[in-house]
Amino acid sequence: MSPRAARHVLHVDLDQFLAAVEVLRRPELAGRPVIVGGRGDPTERAVVSTASYEARELGVGSGMPLRLAARKAPDAVILPVDHAAYTEASEHVMDTLRGLGMVVEVLGWDEAFVGHDGDDPRAAARRVQEAVLEATGLHCSVGIGDNKVRAKIATGFGKPAGTFVLTAENWFEVMGERPTIELWGVGSKVSARLRRHGIDTVRQLAAADRDVLVAEFGPRMGAWYADLGHGRGSAVVDDTPWVARGRGRETTFQRNLVSPQEVEAALHELVAQVHADTEAEGRPVFRVALKVRYAPFFTRTRSRKLPAPTRSLADLTSAILALAADLESGREVRLLGVRAEMVMPDGGDPQERTPVRGRI
DNA sequence: TCTGGGGTCCTAGGACCC
DNA sequence: TCTGGGGTCCTAGGACCC
């Protein structure tokens, strides 16, 4: 099918996805606070991936250290992240959506855009919810929009298990007085920079001088934010299978690493893991990146283009070790990651890409 | 409380070439 | 003597998303 503009865009978002999958296979957990994160051990350094609504009522949220979550919800069931199970459930959901004859653009494990060209998008959204529930036992919320930006933002108003319509017609009524950080693609840094220009709300962003935004954020991001204030964006739903542009591995040590020998051994291990992943992809690596997190909490990155694309573990390892040697020594390594970037796949005009495309 | 792990894309500035 | 201007490539780092 490939990319095509849709009359309506539905944004389908599974509710408390990881926790919901766990409850499905352990029905006795229904109604209890359930927390999924790390290896399921709250004494380890790890964070919450998903909390069930019952756990959220106790103040537990994603990104929170597991240790703290366990204190807030002492009776919660804490489970390890089970990638294979969520991947399988996700594929079942996406196949169900495709089975409805709709164009599906997968955004992550628990999210997708769906194109709809009929007259009744609300009915289509209900069909999606019923089909997903019947096939998988999972509930989802559906945002309905006249483009992807509005559909995505609409979903937040439909949770849990509901629907919401956000179009050019009600954009300012719904979003006008809200802070810019509620826009998809505006985070804490950008909202703070906007505030320095006297822009606090979505309506003010829409009224802002485009040239000022371009001067502040550059030609692409400036123009993107200007459009975002109006809720403008693409309505093209693209079901082209996703191809990773890079592969990386990152790990958190339960105990800080202090000696160069420990760091080197850890790098060997991570590079071997990334190498296995890139071998599975069958594409050579053309640049490597190294991210090192130091105590207390700052990150250094180094990247280098390789002399030639390679699939050799020895080449990758020596490249990473060279980057590591380039970083200052004598610091405690708190978290450590290796990122191996791979050759860009053919096609995909950068001008056509939506700037914000975080994927899992 | 003490901050995961997986990604994507954009920008600035320096190097280098003509 | 003084120092063009445009283009491309590369690296580092920032920001965001799920």
Side-chain angles (χ1 to χ4, degrees):
Chain A
M1 298 220 239
S2 69
R4 65 196 179 91
R7 207 170 137 199
H8 313 283
V9 179
L10 309 185
H11 176 256
V12 180
D13 197 327
L14 293 154
D15 297 329
Q16 44 170 0
F17 177 57
L18 273 52
V21 171
E22 297 295 349
V23 171
L24 270 184
R25 56 181 177 179
R26 296 175 61 180
E28 69 274 17
L29 298 182
R32 293 191 58 185
V34 174
I35 297 168
V36 181
R39 292 190 282 190
D41 180 349
T43 66
E44 291 190 347
R45 283 178 178 166
V47 295
V48 174
S49 292
T50 300
S52 70
Y53 288 119
E54 292 81 5
R56 291 178 202 190
E57 277 176 23
L58 300 172
V60 177
S62 42
M64 177 181 288
L66 218 48
R67 202 169 298 182
L68 174 63
R71 244 196 315 276
K72 283 184 178 278
D75 296 328
V77 177
I78 303 180
L79 299 169
V81 175
D82 182 349
H83 280 79
Y86 314 138
T87 299
E88 189 186 331
S90 175
E91 282 170 1
H92 194 182
V93 169
M94 300 307 167
D95 284 343
T96 302
L97 296 177
R98 294 186 194 102
L100 295 171
M102 296 165 165
V103 183
V104 178
E105 179 175 329
V106 178
L107 276 187
W109 265 347
D110 62 345
E111 272 188 61
F113 286 119
V114 170
H116 177 69
D117 290 318
D119 292 322
D120 194 347
R122 285 181 181 79
R126 284 193 296 274
R127 263 204 316 281
V128 162
Q129 290 175 313
E130 285 161 15
V132 169
L133 182 60
E134 193 188 343
T136 68
L138 296 167
H139 291 272
C140 61
S141 305
V142 180
I144 301 162
D146 45 5
N147 63 41
K148 291 196 279 192
V149 163
R150 292 194 184 114
K152 166 82 183 172
I153 294 172
T155 307
F157 299 108
K159 280 185 169 293
T163 63
F164 193 86
V165 180
L166 187 58
T167 63
E169 208 171 308
N170 63 345
W171 172 257
F172 285 110
E173 180 196 323
V174 175
M175 294 297 296
E177 311 318 317
R178 291 177 176 268
T180 58
I181 200 166
E182 292 191 20
L183 294 166
W184 183 37
V186 175
S188 61
K189 303 292 182 178
V190 169
S191 64
R193 280 167 78 180
L194 288 169
R195 197 172 309 120
R196 274 179 244 135
H197 287 273
I199 299 165
D200 292 308
T201 67
V202 171
R203 193 185 301 279
Q204 288 168 341
L205 179 59
D209 187 338
R210 203 179 183 86
D211 294 338
V212 170
L213 295 173
V214 167
E216 175 69 29
F217 296 105
R220 282 182 60 75
M221 297 316 288
W224 168 258
Y225 297 135
D227 284 343
L228 205 52
H230 294 271
R232 293 180 189 133
S234 165
V236 174
V237 179
D238 185 350
D239 64 356
T240 311
W242 173 65
V243 178
R245 292 157 177 77
R247 287 290 176 205
R249 279 297 184 100
E250 201 167 329
T251 195
T252 300
F253 302 113
Q254 293 303 317
R255 182 181 63 76
N256 293 357
L257 303 189
V258 288
S259 80
Q261 291 76 21
E262 284 178 314
V263 171
E264 192 175 322
L267 287 173
H268 269 103
E269 170 102 28
L270 283 171
V271 174
Q273 289 173 1
V274 176
H275 180 253
D277 292 344
T278 58
E279 279 298 284
E281 299 271 345
R283 289 182 293 167
V285 174
F286 85 115
R287 88 188 280 113
V288 293
L290 174 66
K291 180 162 92 177
V292 181
R293 298 207 201 211
Y294 296 97
F297 318 122
F298 67 96
T299 302
R300 279 276 154 75
T301 61
R302 284 286 181 279
S303 68
R304 187 97 52 222
K305 194 185 179 206
L306 296 168
T310 182
R311 294 172 62 175
S312 142
L313 175 58
D315 286 352
L316 295 176
T317 303
S318 62
I320 287 292
L321 291 179
L323 291 179
D326 193 36
L327 290 168
E328 293 164 76
S329 58
R331 297 188 192 275
E332 288 198 1
V333 175
R334 178 60 176 278
L335 312 163
L336 191 145
V338 176
R339 180 159 185 80
E341 284 188 39
M342 298 191 311
V343 180
M344 282 278 286
D346 291 331
D349 180 355
Q351 298 297 321
E352 297 297 319
R353 278 201 287 267
T354 305
V356 176
R357 295 227 340 204
R359 306 240 188 172
I360 289 176

